[in-house]
Amino acid sequence: MKRLCPLLLSLFLVPVLLSAQPADFRWQPVAPGVWKATVGQAETLTLLSAAGIQPNREALQKLGTLPFPQALKASKNERTDGKVYLRFPLVRDEQLFGLGLNFKTVQQRGTIKTLHVDHYGGQDNGRTHAPVPFYVSDQGYGVLINSARYITVYAGTAARKDSKNPPEEMNRNSQKNWKAQPYSDAVEVLVPAAGTEVYVFAGKNAMEVVQRYNLYCGGGVLPPKWGLGFSHRTPTLFSDKQIMEEVNAFAEKGYPLSVVGLEPGWQTHAYPNSYVWDSTRLPQPQPFLDQLAQKNIRTNLWINPYVSTHSPIYKYILPYTASHTVWVGVVPDFNLKPARDIFKKHFTEQHIKLGVSGYKVDETDGYDRWLWPDVAKFPSGFSAEQVRQTYGLQFQKMSDEWFREKNTRTYGLTRASNAGASALPYVLYNDYYNHKDFITALCNSSFIGVLWTPEARSSKTAEEWLRRMQAVCLSPMALLNAWADGTKPWTFPEVADQVKEVMQLRMQLLPYLYTTFAQYHFEGKPPIRAMHLVEGFADASTVVAGKLDATDNPYAQAIRQDIRDQYMLGDFLLVAPLFADEPKRKVILPPGKWYDFYTGKLVGEGETIEVDQTGKPGAIPLFVRDGGVIPMVPPALHSPRQDEVVPLTVRHYGTQPGSWPLYDDDGTTFDFEKGQYSWTPLTATRTANGGLSGTYQTQSGKPFRYSSVTWEFMTR
Ligand code: GAL
């Protein structure tokens, strides 16, 4: 037999050797319970770099360490065709959550998404305001793909020939249970870049995974106290006089107001923008802002980042803008420091110095037909795709720094975000306006380190108005956006009093909300929590342990469902919104006893109950866990001023004693980052006669802005 000549042999072998083989990841610990691996050549602009994250190492340390998740040990990566393929195994019954701000479902296993910053278009296909490439498994781990690319995630949809747990072959001719989508045992990911970073977050349960993720991103944002009051955005072309009249009407009618939002008409030019006060509508911005400040009302300005030729910054920013325009405005490349500096100078001198407290940064998301195309070029050299994925994050980060330098917190609105946003002081919103889907978005926001507001704008009926206003008051930002409709809280007289009640409740709950956000900051626990994040609620162990199995409790079946219409606000409050024309609903109560927030009466325990307000639309259904402690203040018209001291009422529910630490600080500055804060234990103890009594213990020298503490035992 003729021997193959070596040259021929090498020609044959070289392509074989070059075609990549699936490789193991090289996981490096980067924090307790957090690992990172780099596949190929990682890119310099990533989601986490754009967000400028600074892990809270102390808090991560406190959370403790865990071994690398066993389930992910068999993960593989491959480099092929200039792209990266990733594969992470799944087990049967494993549930997946996250993968962006989705509006239709909470469970994501079995879905495919191409994650792309965009205005939500009605389908959970990956195009959304915060397409965060992070998923959380109920098996106690999370995976983050830190790449600013349009990543495609097959979240348990595909089956490989060499699968260890392949789906069973079925015969459609004879087997009725044949499925178009056979079982898949892996999440597979396509990153259209030569390299990427991948992070793994461990956790004893889904909540702990989310905590590690948020803490790694710096810990959740702690808004100023005023940010948790009520926000109202006035019609777009309102003058100073009209805005002031509206603000006064809130006070006269007794509706709370902490922030007034000015829409595009505050500027001389909008779409694209001048960022200059319009002298016909707002001739004297300084006295106008001062007057609002005296009334204890903050001002937020609407903008988008596209610069008009009429803007004084136009000629300076021009060299640092993209090849394409948006509404004929130039598109700044915020990867370049000079571009950031030009914005900073103008915005701080022309707005913030005058007293502006925050921004609503619009249109950083999409649609494609409005924004720059993917063939646009940016002077920093980053691709249009990378800029699209990070633009919202960059604006958030940049503007947060303007306020930080003044040692003042801000709390604004953004329409685009992405991974790494936990610490950034912005809340997402959009134009989609589907009330039910807005609640699903609230649930989903809790897995991915972003905040969402189900803002109210308008309604067809009084009932819808009431339901929307109720839900928004139990969300991260209580917001009425009247920019187009000119609605007011009292627009529907039939429900005007009920709307007032829920707005007042929002103000009363301020200490509870503020502590809940402090948990987000210091412990990484999101303020809104999907039911699957609630301890003991849906992790497989609850059911497997036999405590709650399907035979004796319908609850066990319920937790396998897509629970998208109820959520926890903080540790104790379960919110079950009602919707227009749906006066009845089911509420799934996690294990333990639950009490009606308004009456203190027992409503159930680890079961599904029904709420029925047929014919008598009432308050938003709220339930409190046994032993729940809800610190409240009197219903003020405005959030308290920095030096204001108010009386506190602590409501206790149920029969369990217990202690809950109440957080406080000055409410406006960043001094809390230097230790200027307090955690005051609110403790309910059992008395000799079997009742309960309440105490609290302040720490001397630490902020505590309450003049007196009264306990109210709601369950008698
Ligand atoms: C939209 C935004 C609205 C409102 C409007 C003003 O893009 O979502 O909330 O601000 O612009 O033109």
Side-chain angles (χ1 to χ4, degrees):
M1 201 173 87
K2 258 207 220 156
R3 288 179 58 187
L4 278 172
C5 97
L7 184 68
L8 208 66
L9 192 68
S10 61
L11 279 178
F12 172 73
L13 273 179
V14 164
V16 174
L17 291 174
L18 279 183
S19 87
Q21 291 297 308
D24 291 331
F25 287 87
R26 286 202 213 138
W27 300 112
Q28 302 291 330
V30 289
V34 186
W35 296 263
K36 174 178 157 182
T38 304
V39 179
Q41 181 75 36
E43 298 186 283
T44 46
L45 177 59
T46 67
L47 302 176
L48 297 189
S49 77
I53 63 140
Q54 289 184 4
N56 182 342
R57 298 198 175 274
E58 205 185 310
L60 283 161
Q61 199 76 44
K62 229 164 137 189
L63 201 55
T65 193
L66 283 171
F68 185 85
Q70 183 65 30
L72 291 180
K73 287 203 170 142
S75 305
K76 297 278 180 206
N77 66 75
E78 206 171 316
R79 280 182 288 151
T80 259
D81 189 23
K83 302 180 182 112
V84 172
Y85 297 177
L86 309 170
R87 176 152 43 100
F88 308 99
L90 292 173
V91 295
R92 257 179 218 280
D93 288 338
E94 182 168 355
Q95 301 186 75
L96 302 179
F97 305 99
L99 292 175
L101 190 69
N102 293 299
F103 289 75
K104 297 284 181 191
T105 63
V106 172
Q107 308 242 21
Q108 301 305 334
R109 186 164 180 173
T111 67
I112 302 171
K113 297 182 180 16
T114 297
L115 300 167
H116 190 142
V117 170
D118 200 349
H119 192 284
Y120 183 70
Q123 277 182 311
D124 285 356
N125 57 12
R127 281 189 175 252
T128 184
H129 309 271
V132 180
F134 176 57
Y135 67 89
V136 180
S137 160
D138 68 345
Q139 302 293 304
Y141 67 84
V143 177
L144 168 70
I145 319 299
N146 183 28
S147 163
R149 296 284 175 180
Y150 304 144
I151 299 166
T152 301
V153 182
Y154 301 86
T157 58
R160 292 177 67 100
K161 223 163 53 178
D162 62 359
S163 163
K164 296 235 165 54
N165 301 293
E168 196 189 330
E169 185 185 332
M170 309 274 270
N171 181 352
R172 197 177 181 181
N173 290 342
S174 55
Q175 289 177 285
K176 283 223 167 62
N177 54 349
W178 177 92
K179 279 198 202 89
Q181 192 174 335
Y183 175 73
S184 164
D185 69 348
V187 173
E188 297 195 83
V189 180
L190 190 158
V191 185
T196 186
E197 289 176 358
V198 182
Y199 285 82
V200 164
F201 298 84
K204 287 198 284 293
N205 47 39
M207 175 58 113
E208 214 184 275
V209 173
V210 169
Q211 283 179 264
R212 280 206 173 77
Y213 169 80
N214 285 330
L215 291 173
Y216 194 76
C217 297
V221 59
L222 181 60
K225 283 184 183 172
W226 55 258
L228 299 178
F230 193 83
S231 298
H232 176 73
R233 307 199 69 86
T234 50
T236 186
L237 295 179
F238 259 28
S239 66
D240 51 3
K241 197 164 159 279
Q242 288 169 304
I243 297 167
M244 210 53 86
E245 274 168 16
E246 188 122 316
V247 164
N248 291 340
F250 270 71
E252 281 153 22
K253 292 174 190 288
Y255 288 81
L257 183 64
S258 292
V259 182
V260 67
L262 275 45
E263 288 286 318
W266 71 269
Q267 305 176 85
T268 57
H269 298 77
Y271 297 87
N273 309 277
S274 63
Y275 313 115
V276 171
W277 298 93
D278 180 86
S279 62
T280 58
R281 288 181 287 271
L282 291 132
Q284 292 186 295
Q286 182 71 76
F288 170 73
L289 293 169
D290 288 348
Q291 218 184 322
L292 287 170
Q294 271 154 24
K295 293 175 188 286
N296 197 4
I297 289 172
R298 312 283 162 151
T299 313
N300 174 294
L301 297 183
W302 175 100
I303 59 130
N304 68 45
Y306 313 116
V307 187
S308 157
T309 53
H310 298 279
S311 173
I313 65 171
Y314 179 79
K315 64 171 189 250
Y316 302 107
I317 201 84
L318 196 58
Y320 310 107
T321 57
S323 57
H324 288 63
T325 58
V326 175
W327 296 301
V328 200
V330 288
V331 181
D333 186 343
F334 295 118
N335 291 295
L336 301 172
K337 189 167 181 301
R340 297 198 297 270
D341 288 347
I342 292 162
F343 262 65
K344 177 178 172 183
K345 187 165 186 300
H346 183 84
F347 279 54
T348 51
E349 286 176 7
Q350 302 301 318
H351 316 148
I352 300 173
K353 226 187 198 166
L354 273 55
V356 166
S357 298
Y359 293 94
K360 167 174 172 178
V361 187
D362 207 24
E363 313 287 2
T364 42
D365 46 351
Y367 298 95
D368 284 2
R369 56 190 184 276
W370 293 348
L371 293 200
W372 60 88
D374 285 345
V375 297
K377 292 256 180 95
F378 282 79
S380 60
F382 292 117
S383 69
E385 174 184 5
Q386 290 170 295
V387 177
R388 178 76 174 264
Q389 297 293 70
T390 52
Y391 213 55
L393 279 179
Q394 280 174 331
F395 209 103
Q396 292 178 60
K397 177 71 192 156
M398 172 175 84
S399 49
D400 180 38
E401 282 164 10
W402 304 336
F403 289 95
R404 264 181 182 272
E405 281 184 17
K406 284 187 63 208
N407 195 22
T408 330
R409 284 180 250 169
T410 182
Y411 196 49
L413 288 154
T414 180
R415 245 180 39 193
S417 199
N418 216 321
S422 317
L424 297 171
Y426 281 88
V427 182
L428 287 151
Y429 67 97
N430 73 6
D431 291 338
Y432 170 66
Y433 214 57
N434 178 309
H435 192 200
K436 271 200 174 163
D437 291 356
F438 273 17
I439 304 304
T440 305
L442 265 183
C443 298
N444 283 325
S445 67
S446 66
F447 295 106
I448 54 170
V450 298
L451 301 172
W452 163 257
T453 173
E455 64 169 33
R457 294 184 172 198
S458 60
S459 292
K460 290 199 184 71
T461 63
E463 188 200 1
E464 185 192 339
W465 188 243
L466 175 65
R467 295 319 186 189
R468 284 187 179 269
M469 289 294 281
Q470 286 176 337
V472 83
C473 285
L474 279 303
S475 84
M477 187 186 276
L479 173 65
L480 198 177
N481 180 8
W483 78 277
D485 303 278
T487 39
K488 302 168 206 332
W490 54 89
T491 287
F492 292 90
E494 310 90 296
V495 294
D497 287 343
Q498 284 173 289
V499 168
K500 189 189 279 183
E501 271 164 33
V502 75
M503 286 170 67
Q504 287 176 337
L505 176 62
R506 169 81 184 191
M507 301 306 285
Q508 287 175 277
L509 286 173
L510 200 64
Y512 177 73
L513 293 171
Y514 200 53
T515 297
T516 294
F517 270 92
Q519 291 179 347
Y520 190 30
H521 178 72
F522 290 96
E523 298 166 38
K525 289 185 180 161
I528 300 291
R529 301 170 194 169
M531 297 315 290
H532 292 88
L533 288 179
V534 177
E535 205 190 332
F537 181 67
D539 47 288
S541 60
T542 323
V543 179
V544 175
K547 274 196 201 153
L548 293 164
D549 62 59
T551 50
D552 63 19
N553 197 325
Y555 164 82
Q557 286 164 350
I559 63 166
R560 308 306 300 179
Q561 295 163 11
D562 199 45
I563 306 166
R564 49 171 295 211
D565 61 355
Q566 65 175 74
Y567 56 89
M568 293 293 297
L569 175 53
D571 286 343
F572 301 124
L573 263 186
L574 194 165
V575 185
L578 285 165
F579 304 96
D581 300 322
E582 293 182 29
K584 268 197 227 178
R585 61 158 298 157
K586 290 206 170 355
V587 184
I588 302 169
L589 300 172
K593 293 189 165 62
W594 289 81
Y595 298 84
D596 183 287
F597 170 78
Y598 305 96
T599 63
K601 287 204 179 108
L602 178 71
V603 292
E605 173 172 13
E607 63 185 294
T608 302
I609 59 163
E610 192 179 70
V611 171
D612 188 354
Q613 294 189 0
T614 308
K616 44 171 181 10
I620 182 168
L622 294 176
F623 306 98
V624 187
R625 188 194 266 300
D626 196 2
V629 165
I630 314 272
M632 294 169 74
V633 286
L637 284 181
H638 314 287
S639 315
R641 290 180 192 274
Q642 191 172 330
D643 47 8
E644 206 171 323
V645 174
V646 288
L648 188 78
T649 300
V650 183
R651 287 196 187 178
H652 176 276
Y653 289 82
T655 56
Q656 292 293 315
S659 191
W660 197 66
L662 173 74
Y663 176 81
D664 203 18
D665 62 19
D666 66 25
T668 54
T669 74
F670 287 98
D671 292 356
F672 70 94
E673 291 182 351
K674 299 182 207 113
Q676 282 307 305
Y677 59 80
S678 64
W679 290 97
T680 303
L682 304 172
T683 309
T685 40
R686 183 89 55 220
T687 56
N689 63 8
L692 288 166
S693 86
T695 56
Y696 69 103
Q697 186 140 33
T698 55
Q699 299 153 265
S700 71
K702 292 282 191 177
F704 187 72
R705 290 178 159 69
Y706 303 100
S707 51
S708 60
V709 178
T710 312
W711 283 77
E712 221 176 291
F713 292 93
M714 295 294 291
T715 307
R716 297 268 165 205

